[in-house]
């Protein structure tokens, strides 16, 4: 799908993509906004092992976001405690350009799981807007330990039924 300025596409994530995707999640501001990251997001070996394994998991739908032929992020559906959940990470260079919203809209056309949930840190306004623009509705809150912030924070829970 094209937005006003960019061609935004999804394709299945490959092992070769993981090196670039790892670099994106090293950004301090991105980690702060994501909040619920791995315990040590700088551990490249652990990152590659985890995501290589997830690529082979049939319950996970991993897609790489391509903007004008450049890897701009990732988006995935995974199952946690029986619920389908969405996660995405956009390279900071593409923030504020509609990439996450367009990628999520595209993803929802190829991922049939419903309902599907999104969780977002209480102060990650950009991600909250992305979910709302894609039809997700805020249904509640939860608290959890955010590794990126080293404290418990509130997160908002969003749900998409159709």
């Amino acid at each position: 799908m094209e937005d006003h300025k960019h061609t935004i596409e999804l394709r299945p994530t490959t092992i070769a993509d993981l090196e670039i995707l790892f670099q994106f999640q090293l950004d301090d501001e991105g980690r702060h906004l994501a909040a619920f990251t791995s315990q040590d997001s700088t551990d490249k070996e652990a990152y590659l092992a985890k995501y290589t394994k997830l690529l082979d998991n049939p319950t996970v739908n991993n897609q790489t976001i391509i903007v004008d032929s450049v890897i701009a992020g990732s988006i995935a559906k995974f199952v946690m405690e029986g619920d389908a959940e969405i996660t995405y990470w956009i390279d900071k260079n593409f923030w504020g350009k509609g990439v996450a919203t367009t990628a999520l809209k595209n993803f929802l056309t190829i991922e049939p799981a419903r309902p599907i949930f999104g969780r977002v840190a209480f102060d990650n306004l950009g991600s909250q807007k992305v979910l709302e623009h894609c039809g997700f509705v805020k249904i509640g809150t939860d608290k959890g330990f955010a590794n990126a912030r080293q404290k418990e924070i509130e997160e908002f829970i969003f749900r998409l039924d159709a």
Side-chain angles (χ1 to χ4, degrees):
M1 173 184 268
E2 291 191 29
D3 70 5
H4 302 294
K5 305 171 198 140
H6 304 283
T7 301
I8 301 170
E9 301 172 312
L10 302 178
R11 65 163 170 72
T13 300
T14 66
I15 290 175
D17 296 338
L18 296 180
E19 176 73 35
I20 294 168
L21 299 175
F22 172 76
Q23 295 300 319
F24 295 160
Q25 58 93 48
L26 292 176
D27 178 76
D28 289 336
E29 188 177 0
R31 275 201 317 263
H32 179 81
L33 289 171
F36 299 95
T37 60
S38 62
Q39 193 167 6
D40 179 6
S41 55
T42 64
D43 185 340
K44 185 176 178 179
E45 189 174 305
Y47 177 92
L48 294 174
K50 174 183 176 181
Y51 286 94
T52 298
K53 185 176 177 181
L54 289 174
L55 291 178
D56 292 330
N57 184 332
T59 69
V60 178
N61 181 355
N62 281 295
Q63 299 286 315
T64 296
I65 302 166
I66 308 292
V67 177
D68 299 331
S69 304
V70 175
I71 294 177
S74 62
I75 189 165
K77 182 272 301 185
F78 63 98
V79 178
M80 188 165 75
E81 297 178 11
D83 290 329
E85 298 216 11
I86 188 86
T87 185
Y88 45 87
W89 194 294
I90 308 299
D91 176 16
K92 188 176 183 176
N93 294 318
F94 292 94
W95 289 3
K97 299 178 181 180
V99 171
T101 299
T102 300
L104 181 53
K105 285 180 179 178
N106 291 352
F107 185 81
L108 293 169
T109 68
I110 63 170
E111 175 51 56
R114 299 295 186 278
I116 191 164
F117 295 86
R119 293 173 170 260
V120 59
F122 73 97
D123 57 353
N124 187 340
L125 302 179
S127 193
Q128 291 172 43
K129 287 179 184 177
V130 167
L131 292 170
E132 290 168 348
H133 286 143
C134 293
F136 285 75
V137 175
K138 184 178 166 188
I139 61 162
T141 63
D142 197 2
K143 286 194 176 194
F145 186 79
N147 284 319
R149 301 183 189 187
Q150 287 299 296
K151 64 181 180 180
E152 184 177 86
I153 67 166
E154 185 176 36
E155 65 180 336
F156 296 152
I157 304 167
F158 289 79
R159 178 180 168 141
L160 179 71
D161 288 314

